[in-house]
């Protein structure tokens, strides 16, 4: 699911977030692990369509913005040469903090 065309899903991060001092960040970075993505406020009733969960998912960041999020099997073939950072024992929550 590409997010770059959805203004409501446009998450930004400070320049240099997650980078070491003086490092040159790649144009795109993919974070692989379990991904829980909220599409809307689940409210009191936890509507199933308000979130997406992929036990093996990928979050793609390009120039400090979320470019795509979805199942690893769907996204990885379209990311040749992209740095993949493994988070096998973690839950990735893009946009978890109110932005």
């Amino acid at each position: 699911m590409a997010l770059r065309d959805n203004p409501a899903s446009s998450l930004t991060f400070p320049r240099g977030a997650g980078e070491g001092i003086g490092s040159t960040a790649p144009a795109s970075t993919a974070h692989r692990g379990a991904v829980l993505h909220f599409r809307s406020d689940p409210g009191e009733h936890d509507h199933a369509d308000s979130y997406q969960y992929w036990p093996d998912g990928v979050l793609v960041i390009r120039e400090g913005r979320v470019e795509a999020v979805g199942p690893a099997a769907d996204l990885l073939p379209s990311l040749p040469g992209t740095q993949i950072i493994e988070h096998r024992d973690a839950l990735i929550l893009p946009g978890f903090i109110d932005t």
Side-chain angles (χ1 to χ4, degrees), residues 3 5-6 14 16 20 27 29 36 38 42 49 56-57 71 85 88 92-93:
L3 297 177
D5 299 323
N6 182 352
T29 304
L36 177 60
F38 289 95
D49 60 349
D56 184 17
I85 300 172
R88 292 293 180 177
I92 300 168
L93 297 159

Side-chain angles (χ1 to χ4, degrees), residues 10-14 64-66 99:
S10 181
L11 304 176
T12 59
F13 301 93
R65 293 187 175 265
V66 173
T99 57

Side-chain angles (χ1 to χ4, degrees), residues 16-93:
E19 301 171 15
I21 296 174
S23 69
T24 329
S28 199
T29 304
H31 299 269
R32 184 178 186 178
V35 176
L36 177 60
H37 164 62
F38 289 95
R39 300 175 58 162
S40 64
D41 185 350
E44 297 177 17
H45 304 290
D46 293 331
H47 292 287
D49 60 349
S50 66
Y51 65 91
Q52 294 174 306
Y53 174 74
W54 300 286
D56 184 17
V58 172
L59 170 68
V60 182
I61 304 293
R62 179 181 300 275
E63 297 179 1
R65 293 187 175 265
V66 173
E67 181 175 64
V69 63
D74 293 347
L75 290 176
L76 289 176
S78 68
L79 301 172
T82 301
Q83 177 186 11
I84 309 289
I85 300 172
E86 298 287 340
H87 302 279
R88 292 293 180 177
D89 295 327
L91 179 63
I92 300 168
L93 297 159

